[in-house]
Amino acid sequence: MGIYVNRGNESFASAKNSEIYVDKTGLIAYTNKVLDTEQRYICNSRPRRFGKSITAGMLAAYYGRGCDSGELFEGLEIAGSPSFEEHLNRYDVIHLDMAYLLVQNKNAADTVAFMQKCVIDELKIIYPGILTDEDCELPFTLSKLNDAAGARFVIIIDEWDAIFREAAADERGQQCYIRLLRGLFKGEQSKDFVALAYLTGILPIKRYSSESALNNFKEFTMLRPKRLSEYIGFTEREVRELCKMYHMDFEEAARWYDGYSFRQINHVYNPNSVVNAMLDGEYDNYWSNTTSYESLREYISLDFEGLRDLVVQMLAGGRCAVDVDTFQNDMTSFRSRDDVLTALIHLGYLAYDAEAGKVYVPNEEVRTAFARAVKDTDWESVVQAIQDSDKLLKATWNKDADLVAEGIDKVHRENTSILQYNNENALSCVITLAYYNAVNEYTLIREMPSGKGYADIIFLPRRCSSKPAMIIELKYDQSVESAIAQIKEKRYPDSLKDYQGNMLLVGINYNKENKKHSCRIEEWEQD
């Protein structure tokens, strides 16, 4: 076994033997299906801590002929596939971690040269008598081995985009790297020696103008994961099973780590955070200590027109339209707010609704990361609104309608450029920002089917909370009396028939003439 060629299966064995291992070997059935086809070139990008390296190690363990992995995969999903035995440990696997290699060298160009030398040196040992000291370019070396010995390779590059992220200003090194990748994966010669290419990283393949540098790759991204959706993170079924095993509240797991949704799978969870929560026995933000958190703070501070407005809308629970097709798939070529938002989707800090073309903050873990990042900016009015949220909640519980109206007025007044509105839907954005910290006690439900209509906002207490439920009805240039009357007439509280605690009815109206809010709060008396 080598360091870069046929490394063995220790990496995957370590993952599988961990206290928590979720079987994702079904992915191998797909890679087996595309072996030696035009679809053999795969780039599967996803955020940090979403299992990229574990997947790379799994593929290396399965395909690499430097080990015997039959027993390691016994009992896993792939073992039941008809293609399992056919491809098990049958290929020379070149397994590279570009982030690790980049750390070992001064610059990107040196990294590319060093990596080729290391791989070729190992290939000389595996295939003695074929290669010479003049063989220093990896694509030509692999072609030579294929011609002389019929060698076929599975090439796995983990953190393939590290050079574009960590050496963003090194254009010369990036060009050297792109030339190497084109030599390995473009052209008819590569089809002779490449059985499968699997690239994984945070970013999709870099684009030059409108064309990908490696346009023969099938890309699976956070924007469009397609058939690989269930292998991006943990599914709802997998998380439910873990919560049952570790006696954890599934609803809290969903609040903290769910929220990513794709066309083929509706609920995707951050796997690293779920595992840590299960092992620690508590839900927390396990992600914002990663280096990508610094990127979040940096990117939302960029002075692109309208970017701040959109971030605040998403903090308030809204969804914002985005054009994801202008992004050049690097961290330096930002030209618009859409580019920044798209980068944050790839980093995992925003989720993307492909059907609607909109982005949103997916869950509590990310929400707290955004709140921390905002506090490190000069957005004083937004920070103040978040800090004042607790006061507004206490005023609501105390049924102090005047103080509630004043608090909402303040949020709107101090964020007028962001939170301008002219209808009830936009008003709900102001209310959600004003009640920002309510998520610590409540589950927020928008437009919940209730009785004979839809309640605008319902705050349903979490299981551990002793606070009253709150049904909020919003009116634009009408009256708070009509808001309360609508709640009662349309029987909105009936939607909470299984809830046994106290309940507050809250009517809020915005008067467009004096630009003031009014409020009325009543306790609901059960029939």
Side-chain angles (χ1 to χ4, degrees), residues 104-116:
Q104 314 302 313
N105 296 276
K106 294 181 180 179
N107 55 53
D110 287 348
T111 298
V112 172
F114 174 76
M115 178 265 285
Q116 292 186 89

Side-chain angles (χ1 to χ4, degrees), residues 102 108 161-171 174 330-332:
L102 190 59
D161 56 334
I163 284 177
F164 296 102
R165 291 186 283 106
E166 308 299 333
D170 188 354
E171 292 187 11
Q174 292 176 17
D330 63 35
M331 295 301 190
T332 59

Side-chain angles (χ1 to χ4, degrees), residues 19-20 239-248 278:
E19 181 175 332
I20 294 178
V239 176
R240 283 186 182 276
E241 290 175 356
L242 287 173
C243 286
K244 184 177 181 180
M245 183 185 306
Y246 284 87
H247 308 290
M248 298 285 282
M278 298 299 120

Side-chain angles (χ1 to χ4, degrees), residues 31 41 84 91 128 131 143 242 297 345 478 486 497 524:
T31 56
Y41 306 98
F84 176 65
Y91 298 87
L131 302 178
S143 183
L242 287 173
R297 183 174 58 186
I345 294 170
Q478 296 184 46
Q486 180 172 322
K497 59 184 178 182
W524 172 252

Side-chain angles (χ1 to χ4, degrees), residues 45-102:
S45 57
R46 49 186 130 158
R48 292 182 187 276
R49 310 293 178 88
F50 267 67
K52 297 187 298 296
S53 296
I54 291 176
T55 301
M58 174 187 77
L59 294 174
Y62 174 76
Y63 288 111
R65 68 182 183 91
C67 57
D68 182 355
S69 299
E71 185 176 339
L72 184 60
F73 283 93
E74 187 176 329
L76 299 181
E77 181 179 349
I78 185 58
S81 170
S83 65
F84 176 65
E85 294 286 350
E86 180 182 357
H87 301 290
L88 178 65
N89 301 132
R90 300 294 176 90
Y91 298 87
D92 288 312
V93 172
I94 298 174
H95 184 183
L96 307 170
D97 182 340
M98 295 308 299
Y100 171 79
L101 286 164
L102 190 59

